[in-house]
Amino acid sequence: MSKYIFLEEAVSKIGETVWIKGWVAARRNMGKIVFLDIRDRSGVVQVVGVGNDLDQHSIDVLSNVRLGWLVEINGIVQKRGDKQKSFVVQLDRIEILVLNIFIISESEALPFEVEQNTLELSEGMRLKYRYLDIRSERVKNNLKKRQEINLFLRNYFSKQGFWEIETPYLTKGTPEGAREFVIPSRIHKGNFYVLPQSPQQFKQLLMVAGIERYYQVVRCFRDEDQRGDRQPEFTQFDLEMSFIDQEDILQLIEKAMIDLVKELFPNLRMQQIPFPRLTYMEAQKLYKSDKPDLRTEQDPNLLAFGWIIDFPLFEYSDTEKKMVSVHHPFTRPKNDDINMMEEKPEKVRAEAYDLVLNGFEVGGGSLRIFERDLQKKVFQILGLNETEISLRFGHLLEAFSFAPPPHGGIALGLDRLIAILLNEKNIREVIAFPKTGDAKDLMMGAPSEISKEVLNELHIKGV
Ligand code: ASP
């Protein structure tokens, strides 16, 4: 390990000589004494340079250094007296007395102050310089909290016997209602991969494979026209399990959410435990919504989780002029309703459930069909003919001929869940490098044109 410490570690090193490095967040020149606030990932600390005690190099550095420059400092950790607290930044119980200071790298004038709440800046500015925006306290802490949540969920489900398994990103269409991103194949002329809307079919195939309990923190892709606060790529905590019923999944996820909030967000209050359950019909009747805001008080620290169950399996689409799946075509109809599938498809209820939180859907899942004939019947009701069924889903139907286990699962929308837990209105605040509302990456400049040569290699005629 390097000799450098994170600033937060200095708190337990009073009287010791330490090496730190960080960016200059503030500079106060009092003549013989120069104060700098130094920021690293872990916090901000005041360092004190006393001119008379320093060598010429350090004196020069202290007089030349500017905001945003990166320095390394060798100094003694001291306790701060209460009187001095007026300058106090975060690590306010200590300061570091400079013995030597060196410049690691200089900075141009920053396009904006990262010490301020950057929420007040234009989004264009923040996203173009996202790496500077991440230096700001709020965005950095959101990322810190995000990795704590991921780690919590990984540990939690790993302890319950789940394996994290990666599924492919270059694949074939997974019909879940949205348009798909298409990737041309260079090697196979005229053929295309599709980026998955979710690992839905792969996780079901992992159940056929006998894995029994799978999860993945996974990127999903949907090429949707921008509606509200959406991202073309987003992250799900995706899970699948064999030999379970709906109750098992609801309890498993509910317990994970309760434990997560208690451990990582002790300041937040859950309105009702166990989480209330409403059928889709009840939710529509009472709230005219399938993602109702169940909060009964206005309190920013209040979390109102709830389950919406018994979704319809199909609904009629006026635009497509046919039946479409409310969730996705792999969702299982309730056993009691299976015999209505052909005559009254819109009356059939599904073994499907959504987790809602403060008026947002933060998760959705279902028990799955694992019988070949039943799955085929659903495809037929969705208007697919034999050829389409075998072209698009032949692999799945074939897999279901090799003793598939009954299975089901859920996917949590991590970006939204984290945004609500962190009281952020926009999911962009909890994503390191988000895209704009119209799906652009302002920092990298994506999407962008590509050269004729590359298009040729991909067998694509220019537009
Ligand atoms: N794949 C589904 C989705 O992305 C979730 C699930 O059914 O597990 O919404």
Side-chain angles (χ1 to χ4, degrees), residues 383-411:
L384 298 178
N385 64 33
E386 284 293 321
T387 327
E388 286 166 329
I389 293 174
S390 82
L391 263 176
R392 291 176 61 189
F393 302 109
H395 57 280
L396 190 70
L397 294 174
E398 189 174 24
F400 285 170
S401 68
F402 298 111
H407 59 284
I410 193 166

Side-chain angles (χ1 to χ4, degrees), residues 176 198 200 203 222 236 238 328 364-366 368 409-411:
E176 292 190 48
S198 89
Q200 185 60 38
K203 67 173 171 171
R222 297 186 189 176
Q236 285 189 338
D238 189 48
H328 50 59
S366 58
R368 325 297 186 190
I410 193 166

